[in-house]
Amino acid sequence: MSLNLPASGPAVVAHGKGDLRIEDIPMAAPQSGESIVGIAYGGICGSDLHYWLHGAAGESILKEPMVLGHEIVGVVLQQAADGTGPAAGTPVAVHPATPAPGSVRYPADRPNLSPGCTYLGSAARYPHTDGAFSRYANLPARMLRPLPANLDLRTAALVEPASVAWHAVSRAGEVRGKTALVIGSGPIGALCVAVLKRAGAAKIVAVDMHDKPLEIARAVGADEVLKGDDADAIAAVDADVVIESSGSHYGLASAIKGATRGGKVVMVGLLPSGPQPVFISLAITRELELLGSFRFNDEIDDVIAALADGSLFVDPVVTHEFDLAHGLEAFEVAKNSAGSGKVLLNFRDS
Ligand SMILES: NC(=O)c1ccc[n+]([C@@H]2O[C@H](COP(=O)([O-])OP(=O)(O)OC[C@H]3O[C@@H](n4cnc5c(N)ncnc54)[C@H](O)[C@@H]3O)[C@@H](O)[C@H]2O)c1
Ligand SMILES: [Zn+2]
């Protein structure tokens, strides 16, 4: 290694259910297409919490210790040896996906749907794909997106979840001048509000069970907020576009009730696998369009540009920041969605 990098660095490693450790991991020599990135910030996501609390995220079950983290930004410390990717010193966001084209058919322009696609910090495959909640990470150079000079790393820490939100909103098509309803105002829902605002939605109503997420939704552009799941109040919104971002079947029922006749419901909240009891008959008689939304593709470039030019405003979504020495506390705070939005780990201060 040409740089004076230590042989190991601290990382957040999930060892199994309830067993999260901050420990030193050895630095492997990077492969020829890999850059060494000094991680600055990492956002804690629901899937990170699931690996910690349940030893699994949906069907992805931890079989061996795994470094968590896919919402990461940092600075390139060493360019990839094959000369690809940004030069040393470049601040970067990270696209965590590695599509895996194979024999199973999927739309060529939607690599997010490629079966076998891997994602940083995911136990979907074995061996697992380590994430990058670590002071240093070897990352494929093709994952790195240089940040414009006017986009600071802390704001850029939201690039990954904002790309999920951007993709979800784009699934609904044109939203300019329309009434939008967002069910579930956690980080993903709040970022959907921000993206809808930027895209020119005429009226945005955000729903949640708690005050704090609704406060954040308002701060990023919701015109009205509704607390709870009062079916009549939600139906009265009569929305052209509904984003379901609670990840609960109760939320999906609210989404369907809140959609106008002929409206669109984008489902970005991840329901548990298996049958779900959902009030679905209205979707038939109202000719609703139900649209799935999964991760994102090149939307990450639009998000970076929109954050840099100030047209996408997301600052209130980050509510807490912890240095790595207090990493376990950060996970405790992130677990409580009634009291926190996005919780960031700062890998540089520790
Ligand atoms: N499709 C994708 O690619 C993708 C990517 C990232 C996250 N997600 C999913 O998006 C969802 C939201 O993520 P997040 O990080 O914001 O999670 P979160 O848990 O922080 O937020 C969910 C919010 O929904 C609220 N809620 C729960 N039930 C509700 C109901 N019946 N009505 C209204 N609000 C309700 C909760 O109070 C909470 O504030 C999760 O299911 C997550 O797994 C999906
Ligand atoms: Zn995430």
Side-chain angles (χ1 to χ4, degrees), residues 90-269:
T90 311
V92 291
V94 177
H95 194 316
T98 302
S103 56
V104 181
R105 209 165 70 91
Y106 67 91
D109 59 343
R110 293 156 78 181
N112 59 320
L113 303 183
S114 84
C117 182
T118 58
Y119 219 71
L120 293 179
S122 164
R125 318 256 137 230
Y126 188 82
H128 303 333
T129 311
D130 272 328
F133 279 173
S134 50
R135 187 163 302 156
Y136 310 106
N138 295 333
L139 294 172
R142 63 171 166 73
M143 287 186 175
L144 307 183
R145 301 289 188 277
L147 298 178
N150 55 342
L151 179 55
D152 62 281
L153 282 161
R154 197 171 186 276
T155 305
L158 287 174
V159 160
E160 196 274 354
S163 300
V164 170
W166 191 290
H167 181 73
V169 171
S170 69
R171 294 281 292 139
E174 183 57 72
V175 299
R176 184 166 297 282
K178 297 195 172 155
T179 297
L181 174 64
V182 176
I183 307 289
S185 304
I188 294 291
L191 290 165
C192 286
V193 168
V195 172
L196 284 160
K197 188 78 182 170
R198 183 188 177 279
K203 180 179 168 191
I204 305 169
V205 182
V207 183
D208 205 284
M209 314 307 282
H210 303 290
D211 291 321
K212 180 84 182 167
L214 292 176
E215 230 175 76
I216 297 170
R218 255 201 202 284
V220 293
D223 301 289
E224 284 176 26
V225 298
L226 293 173
K227 188 174 167 185
D229 55 359
D230 176 347
D232 291 339
I234 289 170
V237 178
D238 197 33
D240 303 298
V241 171
V242 186
I243 310 283
E244 192 325 282
S245 43
S246 77
S248 106
H249 67 79
Y250 298 106
L252 183 52
S254 294
I256 289 171
K257 285 178 199 151
T260 195
R261 289 169 167 69
K264 293 179 180 177
V265 177
V266 178
M267 300 173 287
V268 64

Side-chain angles (χ1 to χ4, degrees), residues 43-48 70-71 96 119 160-161 164 188 342:
I44 299 176
C45 177
S47 59
D48 302 315
H70 57 271
E71 301 182 6
Y119 219 71
E160 196 274 354
V164 170
I188 294 291
K342 183 59 74 183

